[in-house]
Amino acid sequence: MIIRHLINSSNDRETWGKKIDFLLSVIGFAVDLANVWRFPYLCYKNGGGAFLVPYMFFMVIAGMPLFYMELALGQYNREGAAGVWKICPIFKGVGYTVILISLYVGFYYNVIISWALFYLFSSFTSELPWVHCNNTWNSPNCSDWAHNSSINDSHKATPAQEYFERGVLHIQDSGGIDDLGKPRWQLTSCLAVVIVLLYFSLWKGVKTSGKVVWITATMPYLVLTVLLIRGVTLPGAMDGIRAYLSVDFLRLCDAQVWIEAATQICFSLGVGFGVLIAFSSYNKFSNNCYRDAIITSSINSLTSFFSGFVVFSFLGYMSHKHNVPLDKVARDGAGLVFVIYPEAIATLPGSSVWAVIFFIMLLTLGIDSAMGGMESVITGLIDEFKCLHKHRELFTLFIVVSTFLISLFCVTNGGMYVFTLLDHFAAGTSILFGVLIEAIGIAWFYGVDRFSDDIEEMIGHRPGLYWRLCWKFVSPCFLLFMVVVSFATFNPPSYGSYTFPTWANMVGWCLAISSMSMVPLYAIYKLCSLPGKFCDRIAYAITPETEHHLVDNGEVRQFTVRVHLSTTQTTSS
């Protein structure tokens, strides 16, 4: 243990300037747009306050343990998502899996931020452009909420809806994913600004990104508070909040409610993207990662719950103003923040000011999450290929420019179709698979007891029995269940009435499989590249790299099923 501590301590690695830089970075990454546009809607749809029961249950048995595991893994080994697997080399492929997933997500996530930036620029007018139907982009189907036909006729669209789809995306000029057209210069310019912001936030490492998050991670809380204060003063707001919190325990008998709660936990905490590993790798060795895991994961969930009050105060107002049921205005996803919310803001006095405030919040919510994803890729590859260490600025430039070029497909006339395809396949089943393999590698190959020794070495005390049981049994079973459910409930992507062609679905599956395939491909490569007989290769592959000399001396047991289930892999000779 002392030898391992010296090896980790000798790693001359950059660290966060202040502890708060790390906490804000993790919070900024985990608290993203989905906290505003997904959780409140899920809560409303699945029994209101009753939804908190399965949500908190899965948070306690899986979310927090996995969050804690990744922070401890990165902090102890002080490397990115691939490098940490020196503790069990055969699993290094899962490191490349999560790096690829983070890269793929960057291809389309930055586009959401560019939409927010476009809306921000468009808000600097005396009259917001999504108020009326007399604009050049409007169609004959455009109809104001005041006309009941806009609610009852599925072919009708509100000014805000047409502004997003026809004024911003120009999706009417595309016939589908096989008819994309050229990148639109307005969105391309906004995307370029986002890329520049990302580059100068990341190019010097955590010394610069740790300062940027002081703004990007705190601004959303300030704006959410201001919007809540304004929202609760609006007529109908309390009706919306009551609908958000209404308790319907009978909904807990529906298995789909539990599945959606489990899915939300998997994706809301940001586990499996390699970001938590990358961020914690820049911590001091003795940092209390246990306390950090509890604080940051709790803040993330509380933020989701708090944002629901903001969202549903405005949805209640919209329902009251237009005299329609709440479920006619309640929705999740991009439609909430780029259609419904802007529409509500447009009806307020001083609407342009409120729009600027709202889209600044979206911009800051998105930018630090995008920074986290990029940092996962950059740190993971720089730590794996040491020659890149001296050229971080150039390598960061290469990554962000490459991301920008791929993202151009998402800012064409048919870019929304590419966006939908990427969103559907890039980080769905593949991220659950990656976290499952990660949990198995830590709990069953490296060993929970050994992992607990590492944590004790860092923070002075071992994880309790509860955490060890979750790591070894509960979390892997939960993740296996989620992977099976993900495959069983898979539905092909669609956008409105548009159905993607077969070849597009095949491309999507190739994208998902390309990241998941890193696990078996690297395992095969590792076994083929190691010396000795097959049993010796297995021994090398599952033994920490710092202890390969024990394999040479015959001090590591031959590979058997017993080794799999053991928490100790060395014996005295």
Side-chain angles (χ1 to χ4, degrees):
M1 182 181 294
I2 295 175
I3 293 174
R4 285 191 289 146
H5 171 72
L6 290 174
I7 290 171
N8 286 303
S9 298
S10 64
N11 191 346
D12 184 19
R13 188 175 183 82
E14 179 185 15
T15 57
W16 296 96
K18 295 179 181 179
K19 172 65 176 290
I20 191 66
D21 295 352
F22 165 70
L23 292 176
L24 288 176
S25 295
V26 174
I27 292 169
F29 165 70
V31 176
D32 68 349
L33 294 164
N35 292 73
V36 174
W37 78 24
R38 179 137 179 89
F39 176 84
Y41 178 78
L42 284 178
C43 198
Y44 162 73
K45 189 179 85 168
N46 293 302
F51 181 72
L52 297 177
V53 174
Y55 179 83
M56 293 307 298
F57 174 72
F58 289 126
M59 166 67 83
V60 171
I61 70 164
M64 281 186 173
L66 293 169
F67 200 91
Y68 181 16
M69 182 186 76
E70 287 207 348
L71 290 185
L73 181 64
Q75 182 172 309
Y76 186 82
N77 294 286
R78 302 177 68 76
E79 292 205 39
V84 294
W85 289 102
K86 60 190 176 185
I87 63 173
C88 192
I90 199 171
F91 280 90
K92 183 176 281 190
V94 75
Y96 292 117
T97 293
V98 300
I99 288 171
L100 272 179
I101 291 173
S102 289
L103 186 64
Y104 293 162
V105 169
F107 292 159
Y108 68 90
Y109 194 85
N110 296 337
V111 176
I112 304 176
I113 309 173
S114 70
W115 294 343
L117 189 61
F118 185 94
Y119 269 81
L120 177 62
F121 291 147
S122 300
S123 300
F124 289 99
T125 58
S126 57
E127 183 179 70
L128 295 174
W130 53 83
V131 174
H132 299 298
C133 291
N134 57 358
N135 302 286
T136 56
W137 56 79
N138 290 126
S139 72
N141 292 327
C142 183
S143 179
D144 188 70
W145 277 92
H147 300 93
N148 288 332
S149 60
S150 66
I151 305 300
N152 299 324
D153 190 342
S154 60
H155 296 290
K156 294 292 185 180
T158 63
Q161 184 178 345
E162 287 214 340
Y163 178 73
F164 178 57
E165 294 189 342
R166 300 174 65 88
V168 178
L169 303 181
H170 278 255
I171 200 167
Q172 73 276 11
D173 296 327
S174 171
I177 196 168
D178 50 0
D179 178 28
L180 296 179
K182 296 179 180 179
R184 298 195 58 78
W185 71 266
Q186 298 94 332
L187 287 179
T188 301
S189 301
C190 291
L191 183 62
V193 172
V194 172
I195 293 298
V196 170
L197 288 174
L198 284 175
Y199 176 71
F200 285 107
S201 298
L202 296 169
W203 70 320
K204 292 293 185 181
V206 296
K207 295 298 184 185
T208 53
S209 64
K211 299 297 179 273
V212 173
V213 293
W214 279 78
I215 298 174
T216 59
T218 57
M219 179 69 76
Y221 291 96
L222 175 62
V223 175
L224 281 171
T225 303
V226 171
L227 288 173
L228 178 62
I229 294 171
R230 183 66 181 98
V232 295
T233 64
L234 298 172
M238 299 313 296
D239 293 333
I241 291 175
R242 275 193 290 269
Y244 171 52
L245 295 178
S246 63
V247 178
D248 181 7
F249 284 111
L250 291 178
R251 293 285 289 133
L252 298 183
C253 298
D254 184 354
Q256 188 62 32
V257 173
W258 292 79
I259 291 172
E260 291 197 349
T263 304
Q264 178 65 13
I265 284 295
C266 285
F267 294 110
S268 67
L269 289 176
V271 175
F273 289 94
V275 179
L276 302 178
I277 294 174
F279 280 164
S280 62
S281 72
Y282 295 108
N283 277 333
K284 294 179 180 178
F285 187 78
S286 58
N287 175 65
N288 192 335
C289 54
Y290 168 69
R291 182 178 58 200
D292 294 346
I294 299 298
I295 291 173
T296 51
S297 58
S298 298
I299 288 176
N300 176 71
S301 295
L302 288 173
T303 303
S304 295
F305 185 62
F306 174 65
S307 67
F309 289 90
V310 182
V311 169
F312 274 86
S313 64
F314 277 85
L315 291 180
Y317 164 64
M318 290 291 288
S319 172
H320 176 270
K321 182 176 178 62
H322 300 296
N323 195 28
V324 296
L326 187 66
D327 59 6
K328 292 293 184 180
V329 294
R331 66 172 76 175
D332 64 346
L336 174 64
V337 295
F338 292 113
V339 177
I340 299 298
Y341 224 94
E343 192 159 33
I345 287 173
T347 65
L348 302 177
S351 57
S352 294
V353 175
W354 289 109
V356 168
I357 292 173
F358 177 71
F359 289 113
I360 286 177
M361 182 193 72
L362 290 190
L363 194 63
T364 54
L365 272 174
I367 202 75
D368 47 13
S369 296
M371 284 166 53
M374 287 292 167
E375 188 61 59
S376 170
V377 176
I378 294 165
T379 296
L381 294 178
I382 283 179
D383 286 344
E384 189 62 19
F385 303 100
K386 306 298 183 184
C387 59
L388 297 173
H389 263 292
K390 295 180 180 179
H391 308 287
R392 180 186 170 101
E393 293 89 346
L394 285 176
F395 183 65
T396 302
L397 181 64
F398 170 75
I399 293 295
V400 298
V401 169
S402 299
T403 302
F404 170 75
L405 294 176
I406 299 297
S407 299
L408 289 177
F409 286 102
C410 295
V411 294
T412 57
N413 294 333
M416 191 60 177
Y417 301 120
V418 179
F419 175 92
T420 303
L421 193 71
L422 289 172
D423 184 43
H424 201 81
F425 286 102
T429 303
S430 54
I431 197 77
L432 297 172
F433 172 79
V435 184
L436 171 63
I437 300 301
E438 186 178 285
I440 292 172
I442 294 294
W444 290 92
F445 283 78
Y446 185 61
V448 168
D449 284 355
R450 188 168 195 159
F451 187 56
S452 299
D453 290 340
D454 295 345
I455 293 174
E456 183 180 16
E457 197 176 336
M458 291 188 293
I459 66 177
H461 60 84
R462 290 169 64 82
L465 178 63
Y466 170 76
W467 298 103
R468 299 200 302 273
L469 286 175
C470 284
W471 288 331
K472 189 149 192 172
F473 300 108
V474 181
S475 295
C477 289
F478 167 80
L479 289 165
L480 179 61
F481 168 75
M482 289 307 302
V483 170
V484 172
V485 166
S486 179
F487 278 110
T489 60
F490 173 80
N491 289 311
S494 62
Y495 182 75
S497 60
Y498 178 77
T499 302
F500 285 79
T502 303
W503 69 264
N505 284 297
M506 291 178 63
V507 170
W509 274 114
C510 287
L511 189 76
I513 293 171
S514 68
S515 58
M516 292 189 285
S517 66
M518 291 295 104
V519 174
L521 289 178
Y522 188 86
I524 294 170
Y525 159 75
K526 194 67 181 177
L527 290 174
C528 292
S529 62
L530 288 169
K533 298 179 181 179
F534 184 73
C535 289
D536 294 330
R537 295 178 184 179
I538 292 288
Y540 278 114
I542 64 174
T543 302
E545 291 179 358
T546 55
E547 298 177 6
H548 277 187
H549 63 282
L550 298 178
V551 181
D552 297 333
N553 297 333
E555 297 179 22
V556 174
R557 287 198 290 259
Q558 294 295 311
F559 177 77
T560 64
V561 173
R562 183 181 179 84
V563 174
H564 265 90
L565 306 181
S566 174
T567 56
T568 306
Q569 292 175 334
T570 60
T571 61
S572 56
S573 55

